[in-house]
Amino acid sequence: QVQLVESGGGLVQAGGSLRLSCAASGIIFSINTMGWYRQAPGKQRELVAVISSGGDTRYADSVKGRFTISRANAKNTWFLQMNSLKPEDSAAYYCNALVKATSSSGRFVYWGQGTQVTVSS
């Protein structure tokens, strides 16, 4: 079984910073992509950032220049550094990954349980 565990959420003031982390464990052969999504009440889940196995990154327009996605070397761990936070960034943040469990298995998307980020005015 593959498990993704997030940490780092919390309450911060506008303009502050938070660093989220996600660690994947279990039977993992490889991870193609690692990503972060968020969902605010009454809104659909949206992509925040994604990083490929080759290190290519993409960001939502709303977070470009403020958020940075990265991954740890030789570890199934990735991060989301969030700077210059705004109240509109408040949401439940979810990490996800496209995982290949074994050399013969297909690739499937797994999700973390979510971590709450609240940015006060």
Side-chain angles (χ1 to χ4, degrees), residues 19-20 22 33-37 47-52 55-60 63 66-72 77-82 94-96:
R19 184 177 178 85
L20 306 182
C22 184
T33 60
M34 303 171 178
W36 289 95
Y37 289 71
L47 174 69
V48 176
V50 62
I51 185 168
S52 72
D56 296 323
T57 59
R58 293 184 180 184
Y59 299 90
V63 307
R66 299 189 298 119
F67 291 10
T68 303
I69 187 170
S70 62
R71 64 185 184 190
T77 305
W78 58 108
F79 310 92
L80 184 68
Q81 178 65 47
M82 304 184 293
Y94 301 85
C95 62
N96 85 330

